């Protein structure tokens, strides 16, 4: 099998490696001339056997929109586009409809595993038709860990369902990380706990909280004891927000995941307008002293 | 009526004023010689007609413990101590038991109203026996706003119940302030809102969210538009913590009040250990960039 | 002044009353023949002097969309439509654009005060141009409480800003109610508190938590002690959801308001899928007993 | 090595099995004559070589208190008691002090792994002196999974530190389970997701959220698709509460873990007093209909 792969960043680059290791021929395309295998999209299309399979692995939103639009102009009836990025599930139907006008097929596929996927394989969640999933199965099988397919690949439903599952996966991920992080902060705060790193390390085997994220947490504490080199500043990339929006849209209470999202928002604030207001109110009714703004250097 | 009042700080000083304005004779005692009416506790006791009523208005915890102990040594059978501070309700029974050994009576009384109580009167929540409450009623009536007693005074239950009600009052207060503050931050964040101060001002009459705290919020924004002089740093004085602890002890979900408490904790952190951990984890699995600690000036 | 008012439900009916009491002539239109003053929209238009002012007070979403579309067909250049309902702020620009194609002017106006607005007046938050706001000012002045205009009316910004402010107002309202409710549940749960109703009643004057909502809470407990006649089932009408969505879109942490929203979601569930899962997990790892589903009557 | 083990319930029974399999001689004592190896505590003491090691595996609180007291009467100087139950860390110092009066040594040891520990080994967190930990190390090594000791055993600190770490472990566990559960509810709620079970199954290998709890979740869905046999009713056994209490005591924001705790409280309520109040308030200000209590069968 020979496929095209557009986007050779942190994820796409590794995926090209893994696919090739597993015997899939890959022609990669990226704007970075040091990474790309071909110079133009046209070259990419020419290099591929029909029906062409093109895996798109670029940032969600406008960039993915642009790539899908470009592909709708250069691909042919019966070709298949797979969006493996973190697109919002609502974008998938738009992309599928655009491509379908030319008879081009579309799958969305959530991909989890991060930088470790190259070695470990990726967890995959696909959305689209049964026939399109079957066509791409050799690619999925090469990307996912070896062993039982059901443990690393799922055909979640029609177009959009794959990215929806990936979105929820990331929402859960927010909650898991927040939970470990709260426990970490409490262990750090309590003086009777003399070995925080050792405690997390000892949870790796046998305990109820053992997980891959815990293993990474132990690794992080090993590399930077006390996390002294790192600021408590956390970005969010969209999927956590969408998860909470979907929770709201579906009347699903999601307090832990939402707490994780809000904690990230707070982490990025130099000063909190809402906490200024609470301080101002306490001063108003109780004459409680406030901390003047100038003591907060920026 | 003539009572003693121990503690002439922000609250006690104003209460002495109000009581005197309402025709209650007050002998005040404070360690600050500029404020006190007598030099020693013995003098205070001598100045009062039996059965003596002594209102204690000092910081909760060890200071109140000390004053109650001192009073147990100088007061006589039939005298009445009223703890008007913010003592934890569990302290009340200890104090009552100590005083009862000498036949001294005890009431706990939650007091709300802050620095405005002098002019407006205080909301009062009493715990203790019916007879003791009756004895002190002229004091309560002088302290509370004029008008219907039931709108500003309640005999909540036995010893401890007054402070319990005050604790819950303060827990609610945390939630109310947090709610207004979140709305404030959102209005400030949204560019189509051109007049945040005016919006809160316009909520003072007619709306569902009108309240005394809202009036203070408008006053705060008038005095310091944009709250530019104040840092988002908020202390907490115990009663919010106790409210959440009691919620837990009684299996009562209290997510909004707890959110308000945690927001205060976060407001006082220069950097968040839990957010360091989340940043470290994202870096581990996804290679996401972290903000180095040194960029966070302290 | 003579205006049209479309929608004579719980809110619109009262507003017609108040406007008439304040000397504004009102021609009301409603599908209910018992309520309406005219039989058709054409009649309504004919009855009004130019430039016509038509206040729309119908449910947000499709019904408001339909009314605005109808008005775009029967009104004339220079007429003014005011949407006083709870439309989402993003709908306002759509409505304004549609009407502007015919030269019809548009204001959005958030209205707070509920069924009490008839007697007390309504809090008003307007969005639109200065000129349009000025044109409608006699109507605003009649609807709002008497006294200082700035305490019950605000021109928040351009089209959409009025409803935005109302949305945030309602979000805050969610948080306020949740805070009081959590305090209520805790007071009810604690045996040493003998008079929950009396406690809330005593908070009405003097305390920091006094508010109009608190007054209503006391009234509710008076009418139904222990709230024995009412189920813990709470609807939500959109504005709470939008507030949290906007908080997310603007990276504003809003944990208390969100807690209030999620508590409503939970209140409407017969059984919680997420809690089923937690129960199932506890059973899996610890052999903890589960409550069988059939014991949960539905 | 030959030790005593008191408490042969779900955990203790399995631990006796595992210890024996690993070559540790165990004399078990339980009130249940079908389970116990000896009839009395005296018999147990007589059976053990000095210095005796007695592992206590009974419910925390009064029962553990009683067992420790009994042991303080029958054991001798130099003997060692290990509390492997889920005692509150503050109890440990009390127990240690009581035993120390007779020269009896004490370790607390948090044990994680549930019913799977028999086969997989247990994660262990010990608190106490270095010498006492060394004495008991063969027992710890037999209980924990084979392999690197640091991955399943930690000496956290002095007496109490082991149970403190276990408490935080369980708090994290609450947050992890809640996060998965929220994701589960959202996937179940969304119609485009056609295979919820398959989605979780596919997360077992390769994804960021893979964990032992996830494996159990998949097993639970396999055994009871849709969790139709189980009610959304979740107990809590103390450690989640203590974790939040400790978070409060140490000014550590713990919103996700607290959300998990409150969700359990809510799951056990037939009707929510706080939601009754919110419904009552909405009815008061807006005339919104309420659901009458009688429609809520109890």
């Amino acid at each position: 099998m020979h496929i095209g792969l557009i986007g050779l960043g942190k994820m796409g680059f590794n995926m090209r490696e893994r696919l090739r290791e597993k015997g899939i021929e890959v022609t990669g395309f990226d704007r970075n001339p040091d990474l790309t295998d071909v110079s133009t999209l046209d070259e990419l299309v020419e290099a591929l056997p029909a029906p062409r399979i093109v895996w798109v692995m670029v940032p969600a939103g406008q960039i993915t929109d642009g790539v899908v639009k470009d592909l709708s102009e250069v691909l042919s009836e019966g070709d298949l586009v797979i969006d493996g990025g973190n697109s919002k599930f609502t974008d998938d139907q738009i992309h599928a409809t655009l491509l379908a006008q030319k008879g081009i097929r579309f799958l969305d596929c959530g991909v989890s595993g991060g930088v470790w996927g190259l070695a470990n394989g990726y967890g995959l969640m696909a959305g689209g038709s049964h026939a399109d999933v079957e066509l791409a199965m050799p690619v999925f099988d090469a990307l996912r860990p070896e062993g039982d397919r059901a443990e690393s690949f799922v055909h979640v439903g029609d177009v959009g369902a794959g990215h929806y599952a990936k979105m929820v996966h990331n929402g859960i991920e927010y909650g898991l990380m927040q939970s470990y992080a709260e426990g970490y902060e409490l262990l750090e705060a309590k003086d009777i706990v003399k070995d925080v790193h050792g405690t997390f390390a000892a949870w790796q085997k046998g305990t109820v909280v053992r997980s891959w994220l815990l293993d990474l947490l132990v690794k992080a504490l090993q590399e930077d004891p006390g996390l002294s080199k790192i600021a408590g500043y956390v970005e969010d990339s969209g999927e956590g927000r969408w998860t909470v929006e979907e929770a709201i849209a579906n009347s699903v209470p999601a307090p832990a995941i939402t707490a994780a999202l809000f904690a990230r928002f707070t982490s990025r604030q130099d000063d909190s307008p809402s906490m200024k207001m609470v301080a101002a109110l306490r001063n108003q009714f109780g004459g409680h002293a406030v901390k003047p703004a100038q003591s907060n250097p920026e």
Side-chain angles (χ1 to χ4, degrees), chain A:
Chain A
M1 182 166 254
H2 180 184
I3 71 163
L5 197 160
I6 299 177
L8 298 166
K10 225 157 27 186
M11 288 293 286
F13 184 88
N14 281 352
M15 290 166 79
R16 181 173 62 175
E17 291 296 295
R18 183 170 176 95
L19 286 167
R20 286 174 175 168
E21 284 169 13
K22 298 287 173 180
I24 306 274
E25 199 173 338
V26 181
T27 300
F29 177 56
D30 194 279
R31 277 181 291 188
N32 183 337
D34 296 340
L35 299 173
T36 197
D37 298 319
V38 290
S39 308
T40 66
L41 210 52
D42 287 328
E43 269 186 64
L44 178 75
V45 171
E46 280 166 34
L48 300 177
R52 295 168 195 86
I53 298 180
V54 179
W55 189 289
V56 179
M57 207 66 200
V58 301
Q62 291 184 331
I63 296 178
T64 296
D65 290 348
V67 168
V68 169
K69 188 157 179 299
D70 292 347
L71 287 172
S72 75
E73 288 162 8
V74 296
L75 290 179
S76 305
E77 193 173 336
D79 290 350
L80 171 64
V81 172
I82 305 173
D83 179 5
N86 276 331
S87 293
K88 194 167 180 179
F89 72 99
T90 45
D91 286 350
D92 292 321
Q93 194 55 59
I94 297 168
H95 296 157
T97 302
L98 177 71
L99 293 165
Q101 290 169 2
K102 299 272 182 83
I104 304 164
R105 302 145 78 180
F106 178 81
L107 288 176
D108 55 286
C109 184
V111 176
S112 178
V115 294
W116 301 82
L118 171 54
N120 297 344
Y122 302 90
L124 304 174
M125 301 139 249
S129 77
H130 186 69
D132 294 350
V133 167
E134 281 308 302
L135 179 63
M137 195 59 85
V139 183
F140 295 142
D141 280 341
L143 287 172
R144 66 177 186 78
E146 288 174 18
D148 186 354
R149 183 186 287 159
E151 294 187 342
S152 55
F153 173 83
V154 60
H155 179 191
V156 184
D158 284 336
V159 164
H163 278 139
Y164 198 88
K166 178 58 171 21
M167 176 197 80
V168 175
H169 166 282
N170 281 31
I172 291 171
E173 183 188 298
Y174 275 57
L176 302 182
M177 289 198 284
Q178 179 70 22
S179 301
Y180 285 119
E182 293 176 6
Y184 169 73
E185 182 165 338
L186 184 50
L187 288 173
E188 281 286 353
K190 189 74 179 183
D191 54 1
I192 67 169
V193 176
K194 301 299 185 199
D195 189 357
V196 173
H197 177 208
T199 298
F200 279 100
W203 291 349
Q204 291 179 98
K205 297 270 186 292
T207 71
V208 174
V209 304
R210 65 190 190 261
S211 72
W212 188 60
L213 277 168
L214 179 75
D215 295 343
L216 294 180
L217 187 160
V218 174
K219 201 163 162 292
L221 287 175
Q222 206 151 15
E223 291 170 13
D224 179 8
L227 302 181
S228 61
K229 297 177 190 157
I230 200 170
Y233 180 100
V234 187
E235 297 285 359
D236 74 283
S237 54
E239 302 208 316
R241 298 180 185 222
W242 304 335
T243 303
V244 180
E245 286 169 6
E246 276 296 299
I248 293 171
N250 290 282
S251 305
V252 169
I257 292 173
T258 306
L261 179 65
F262 286 160
R264 293 190 179 192
F265 291 172
T266 302
S267 81
R268 302 199 300 261
Q269 296 186 321
D270 286 320
D271 204 357
S272 158
S274 60
M275 289 300 104
K276 283 168 173 273
M277 179 51 82
V278 175
L281 284 171
R282 291 182 82 240
N283 177 256
Q284 284 287 337
F285 73 72
H288 300 290
V290 298
K291 196 174 167 185
Q294 54 268 34
S295 74
N296 199 50
E298 294 284 317

